[in-house]
């Protein structure tokens, strides 16, 4: 059976698309699923660094598309879950024009034959790179931050996905600081969901360990003590269809507000 | 020249046609495609119109995306000329009254999306920040307005805007532009906006009993 293709997108850059892709890839692998992560950000290769796999790369996605190697040979095995997680790296020395929407679709479908989940890390923006990244997707996850500009860009991307006739996307609100939300200094997840009017699949709290974990190539999902790691583990389980309650980030009032309470 | 829900209404008076056309052209140039899709009604008020002037008028309007829809108020000979060019010389009263065109939509306008319609628009959904809704006539939003809404876009200051939650980046009625106060007032309630003098007034939208 063909695996499910999930594209992680946002519109705005810097909201945590790549971090999310890395953590969900590892999270799903840790649950025992076979996962292939595709770094679609040609020219700005990052996913390999965050996964800590940079020094294992031999081939990249453009090599596969140009027929210089096979997909199977280009895939880099993860050092923690070699049987479950593999990465198709972006090309660092090329640009987005090197691949077409059809190319991406072909590679993603082939990858889906070899895995339960294919996660595509979309480039920022709404141009060609975004379009080829969402083209093969069965499902799109939109990552946003609790910032007005990021939410606006997420709304734009959702509108474009609707215009392409894609399935309705799901939302991940990243880098929530509960204490700032409590003091009304930060957009709260409930009002973001209210505006964007799409399904919420995860809220990831701001957590200092995310940055250091990414820098070390050891994504936070592997850290049992990290709250962001817990959030990513929860999202991974929701992706496979489990019902996981949302984390209690700020006492009962937070959840009440999120689910249409006061 | 007057904006209507669907386009423009021209009353050339007794001015020579080439002068009328020139003034019209300047107006359309300045509007940069604003009237695209609109219909034009010319009221002759008794004066005649030569076939050449009629064709020149039609060509000018079409070049700006407008349709010469009706030429009213000429004598019988003029009306024959008008009809011979495939243009209405008479419009049923109720059609003129309502304009006819209206759009009903169930969707949310998202950032970067623009809806433009030469008539009245009813939207069941939200107008999100960064979205634009532009109508020649009235606008009713059964939802939240957080982006830009422009009613009476052809210049009809009589157009109105209604919304369940009117908290726009900007409101426009005809040539008037209004911005909401920086501080959001009180609780959310249905509101309507209309032009009074040179200002846009926003007030509670109540159904009178």
């Amino acid at each position: 059976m063909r695996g499910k293709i999930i594209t992680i997108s946002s519109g705005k850059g810097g909201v945590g698309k790549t971090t999310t892709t890395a953590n969900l890839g590892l999270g799903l692998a840790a649950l025992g699923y076979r996962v292939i992560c595709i770094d679609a950000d040609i020219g700005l290769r990052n996913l390999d660094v965050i996964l800590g796999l940079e020094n294992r790369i031999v081939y990249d996605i453009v090599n596969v598309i140009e027929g210089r190697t096979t997909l199977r040979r280009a895939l880099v095995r993860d050092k923690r879950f070699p049987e479950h997680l593999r990465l198709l790296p972006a090309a660092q020395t090329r640009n987005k024009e090197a691949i077409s929407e059809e190319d991406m679709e072909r590679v993603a479908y082939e990858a889906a034959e070899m895995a339960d989940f294919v996660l595509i890390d979309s480039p920022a923006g709404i141009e060609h790179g975004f379009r080829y990244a969402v083209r093969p997707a069965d499902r799109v996850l939109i990552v946003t931050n609790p910032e007005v500009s990021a939410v606006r860009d997420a709304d734009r991307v959702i509108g474009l996905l609707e215009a392409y006739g894609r399935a309705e996307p799901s939302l991940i609100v990243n880098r929530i600081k509960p204490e700032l939300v409590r003091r009304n200094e930060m957009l709260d997840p409930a009002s973001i969901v209210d505006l964007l009017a799409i399904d919420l699949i995860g809220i990831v709290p701001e957590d200092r360990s995310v940055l250091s974990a990414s820098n070390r190539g050891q994504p936070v999902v592997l850290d049992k003590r990290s709250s962001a790691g817990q959030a990513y583990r929860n999202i991974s389980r929701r992706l496979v269809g489990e019902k996981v309650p949302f984390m209690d980030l700020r006492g009962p009032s937070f959840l009440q507000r999120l689910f249409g309470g006061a | 020249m007057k904006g209507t829900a669907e386009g423009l209404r021209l009353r050339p008076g007794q001015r020579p046609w080439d002068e009328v056309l020139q003034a019209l052209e300047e107006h359309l140039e300045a509007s940069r495609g604003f009237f695209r899709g609109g219909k034009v009604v010319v009221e002759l008020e008794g004066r005649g119109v030569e076939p050449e002037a009629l064709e020149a008028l039609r060509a000018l309007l079409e070049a700006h995306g407008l349709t010469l829809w009706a030429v009213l108020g000429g004598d019988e000979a003029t009306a024959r000329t008008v009809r011979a060019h495939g243009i209405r010389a008479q419009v049923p009263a109720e059609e003129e009254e309502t304009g006819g065109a209206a759009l009903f939509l169930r969707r949310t306008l998202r950032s970067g999306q623009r809806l433009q319609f030469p008539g009245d628009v009813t939207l069941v959904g939200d107008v999100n920040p960064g979205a634009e809704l532009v109508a020649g006539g009235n606008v009713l939003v059964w939802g939240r307005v957080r982006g830009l809404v422009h009613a009476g876009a052809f210049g009809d200051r009589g157009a109105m805007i209604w919304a369940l939650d009117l908290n726009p980046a900007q409101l426009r009625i005809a040539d008037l532009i209004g911005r909401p106060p920086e501080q959001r007032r009180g609780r959310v309630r249905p509101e309507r906006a209309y032009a009074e003098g040179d200002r846009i007034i926003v007030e509670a939208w109540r159904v009178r009993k």
Side-chain angles (χ1 to χ4, degrees), chain A residues 152 155-156 158-160 162 194-198, chain B residues 108-113 126 128-130 144 146:
Chain A
R152 178 88 58 108
D155 193 44
R156 178 96 172 98
I158 296 163
L160 290 172
E162 284 170 359
D194 195 37
L195 177 86
L196 298 177
I198 61 172
Chain B
T108 284
L109 292 181
R110 295 185 181 276
S111 175
Q113 294 177 334
D126 298 338
N128 280 358
R144 288 173 295 219
R146 287 167 176 164

Side-chain angles (χ1 to χ4, degrees), chain A residues 48-62:
Chain A
D48 54 311
V49 180
I50 292 184
L51 283 169
L53 301 176
E54 186 181 14
N55 55 10
R56 302 178 179 219
I57 294 175
V58 181
Y59 298 109
D60 59 50
I61 186 170
V62 175

Side-chain angles (χ1 to χ4, degrees), chain A residues 139-142 158 161-162 166-171 198-199:
Chain A
R139 182 167 191 184
V140 179
L141 305 184
I142 308 277
I158 296 163
L161 293 171
E162 284 170 359
R166 306 308 314 227
E168 193 169 275
S170 311
L171 184 71
I198 61 172
D199 278 343

Side-chain angles (χ1 to χ4, degrees), chain B residues 6 28 31-39 61-67 116-118 154:
Chain B
E6 284 193 281
L28 294 176
S31 73
R32 286 165 307 175
F34 212 67
F35 297 102
R36 201 156 284 281
K39 290 192 209 169
L61 292 173
E62 281 175 2
H64 288 86
L66 285 132
T67 313
Q116 199 171 349
F117 184 73
F154 298 125

